[in-house]
Amino acid sequence: MKKLIFSFLIISAAISCKSPEARYPVSQNSGSYINESVARNKKLLAQEESLIKEIIAKDSTTNYIASNGGFWYFYNKKVADSISTQKPEFGDIVSFDYHIKTLDDQTIYAEGEKPTKEYAIDQENLFSGLRNGLKLMKAGETVTFLFPSYKAFGYYGDKDRIGTNIPIKTTVTLHSIQKIDSIN
């Protein structure tokens, strides 16, 4: 009987000394939230692009240009093409004014309400559509851009007057470009 109890104790000790097993989570995330978010954003983008294309189709007097950056624009005032007139590049300091409207022309920020802005191209915070749009302009030009919400202020808005996922129309006048020597 002692041998039986002794063997039982040794077997119990050996079993209890096994290494701990990893605990698995009670629920596993399948990524469905991300997939739903992607689907929702694709649907929103399609609606906004459809709305912008309707505006363009109704305005037959204006020559809209589709950019590679996912927005549309037209020139209110265009500078004649010449070799001496250059577009801004990385690091150049530009001075510009702009005002913002909804796509149905309701004023969000009126002309002159925002002070003239100086901006170092691609080195400061500016919403992505305007950042890309400024690179298409020459000094002295005025351009109107139609931005879907993801190119404007996106989900967060501007935390003042522009709400969540609002596509906008922005008219920009580029006053000057100060070229920065890239060689230093």
Side-chain angles (χ1 to χ4, degrees), residues 73-142:
Y73 64 99
F74 66 88
Y75 288 91
N76 302 73
K77 179 183 172 191
K78 185 172 174 117
V79 172
D81 291 330
S82 71
I83 296 172
S84 64
T85 308
Q86 296 180 349
K87 296 178 181 177
E89 297 173 348
F90 179 83
D92 292 346
I93 307 296
V94 295
S95 172
F96 65 96
D97 284 307
Y98 68 105
H99 60 276
I100 300 175
K101 296 181 179 183
T102 61
L103 292 182
D104 57 355
D105 287 326
Q106 294 178 353
T107 300
I108 299 173
Y109 290 103
E111 192 169 349
E113 188 173 348
K114 292 239 179 218
T116 298
K117 183 157 178 65
E118 286 197 354
Y119 166 71
I121 297 290
D122 290 337
Q123 294 185 337
E124 296 178 45
N125 244 354
L126 196 62
F127 68 90
S128 70
L130 186 54
R131 194 169 51 237
N132 294 331
L134 284 168
K135 292 184 224 172
L136 300 172
M137 298 177 70
K138 298 174 185 174
E141 291 183 332
T142 300

Side-chain angles (χ1 to χ4, degrees), residues 44 48 100-103 108 147-158 161-169:
L44 176 67
E48 290 177 1
I100 300 175
K101 296 181 179 183
T102 61
L103 292 182
I108 299 173
F147 296 119
S149 64
Y150 83 97
K151 281 303 209 178
F153 293 92
Y155 179 76
Y156 294 105
D158 75 340
R161 298 184 195 171
I162 300 173
T164 299
N165 296 325
I166 304 293
I168 60 173
K169 181 186 290 189

